[in-house]
Amino acid sequence: MTNVANPEIGHSLRTGTFDTNYHDVGTGDPVLLLHGSGAGVSAWANWRGLIPVLSKGFRVIAPDLVGFGYTTLPDPVRFSIFDTWIDQIIGLLDHLGIEKAHVVGNSFGGGLALHLATRHPDRLDRIVLMGAGGVQIEFTDELDALWGYTPSVENMKRIMDIMAYDRSLVTDELAELRYRATIRPGAQEAFEQVFPAPRQRWLDAQIVPDDELAAIEHEVLILHGREDRVVPLDASLHMFHTIPNSQLHAFGRCGHWTQIEHAERFHRLVDGFFREGLTA
């Protein structure tokens, strides 16, 4: 059930030393949605378009990863990529009594999905990766700007310009909304502790070795924007060539916001991929 006053706030469960804010909508086979690592992000902000689509046929679980959104911070505050988030997700699934779930991972969340697939393969079913990290890529100025964000409307517009191919999507209203999420008490402090400088080490820590990628037996749908300036299309091409049971769909005239810039096609592909699994 969505909080009417603030739709970003859903349910809360104690996971380890912090409380996870998560959304639990619909019935059917569970689908886990893992958001990216942008400033001001939350599960609801990232997946508000997909949740109503998938929840018509599936049980959708969308948590705020620790360090983001309305999930509280661990005590003591310490992040270990990807151990912190893997422990959070497995703990959440255990609390909810979910043995196995489909998963959609966006960017950082895609890298997390890959690590879950290699460390806990029995807990995942079908996997969707969208502009996903997890392989060797160059640490760019654009990514440094995203992870090095400091709160202002101008800085928020700058990083949103990096994310989108269609700059008309970066409205003053949207930038103001996302900026306000970053000045919520404690939000920026949490964000700065996830990827402190120097940041190349955090990108390198996300890499899944090729032999482990090649050992993934799950059905994997890889989605990517051709003009993505955050995670290059080459990353998904590498995954496609390495993961045995994978398929790749690349969107032209699309940046890092596939779920926004090509929303209807994205929704159809993801929903169809999971429904295909019901009869496989």
Side-chain angles (χ1 to χ4, degrees):
M1 187 175 191
T2 301
N3 185 303
V4 176
N6 185 350
E8 292 187 277
I9 298 176
H11 306 277
S12 183
L13 263 180
R14 190 71 174 172
T15 47
T17 61
F18 54 89
D19 299 320
T20 291
N21 177 60
Y22 70 100
H23 304 271
D24 188 345
V25 185
T27 58
D29 288 353
V31 178
L32 178 66
L33 305 182
L34 303 177
H35 63 73
S37 59
V41 75
S42 69
W44 182 256
N46 202 147
W47 302 118
R48 63 188 181 277
L50 183 60
I51 289 173
V53 174
L54 287 184
S55 62
K56 292 176 183 178
F58 299 92
R59 180 186 180 186
V60 180
I61 310 295
D64 288 351
L65 298 175
V66 60
F68 304 94
Y70 287 82
T71 289
T72 63
L73 285 174
D75 183 18
V77 177
R78 184 171 57 249
F79 296 99
S80 175
I81 296 177
F82 270 102
D83 294 346
T84 300
W85 294 276
I86 287 174
D87 290 347
Q88 177 191 14
I89 295 305
I90 295 301
L92 179 63
L93 294 177
D94 286 347
H95 274 297
L96 296 176
I98 296 173
E99 293 291 330
K100 179 180 286 191
H102 301 305
V103 63
V104 184
N106 172 26
S107 193
F108 176 79
L112 174 55
L114 286 173
H115 280 266
L116 282 165
T118 60
R119 300 192 204 181
H120 299 278
D122 57 318
R123 305 303 297 268
L124 299 186
D125 199 338
R126 293 191 159 212
I127 300 169
V128 176
L129 305 173
M130 187 187 81
V135 299
Q136 181 72 57
I137 61 174
E138 180 183 352
F139 188 72
T140 62
D141 291 341
E142 287 85 356
L143 186 54
D144 194 44
L146 294 178
W147 285 353
Y149 166 85
T150 54
S152 74
V153 175
E154 293 74 20
N155 285 343
M156 180 55 71
K157 288 190 74 172
R158 178 186 172 213
I159 65 173
M160 291 173 75
D161 274 334
I162 292 171
M163 302 281 275
Y165 172 81
D166 180 1
R167 305 300 172 80
S168 69
L169 294 170
V170 185
T171 64
D172 290 341
E173 292 77 12
L174 182 57
E176 178 73 23
L177 186 66
R178 289 294 295 267
Y179 158 70
R180 290 197 174 279
T182 69
I183 59 172
R184 183 173 52 81
Q188 180 64 17
E189 291 80 1
F191 179 70
E192 289 177 354
Q193 293 184 74
V194 179
F195 303 116
R199 298 188 178 89
Q200 177 68 53
R201 55 184 167 155
W202 307 123
L203 190 63
D204 293 343
Q206 298 182 36
I207 295 172
V208 179
D210 281 357
D211 61 331
E212 295 184 20
L213 288 177
I216 293 174
E217 298 181 352
H218 305 74
E219 291 286 342
V220 179
L221 172 62
I222 304 168
L223 306 174
H224 213 116
R226 186 180 61 200
E227 286 80 23
D228 193 332
R229 299 165 60 199
V230 180
V231 178
L233 177 58
D234 283 349
S236 282
L237 287 168
H238 183 84
M239 293 176 197
F240 174 61
H241 287 301
T242 310
I243 299 173
N245 299 318
S246 65
Q247 53 185 294
L248 171 65
H249 189 108
F251 296 82
R253 302 175 66 84
C254 182
H256 200 56
W257 274 356
T258 306
Q259 82 278 27
I260 297 172
E261 298 191 84
H262 292 267
E264 289 188 14
R265 290 177 178 175
F266 172 77
H267 294 159
R268 284 199 304 269
L269 283 166
V270 174
D271 187 59
F273 179 65
F274 291 145
R275 288 182 184 275
E276 183 182 284
L278 296 176
T279 58

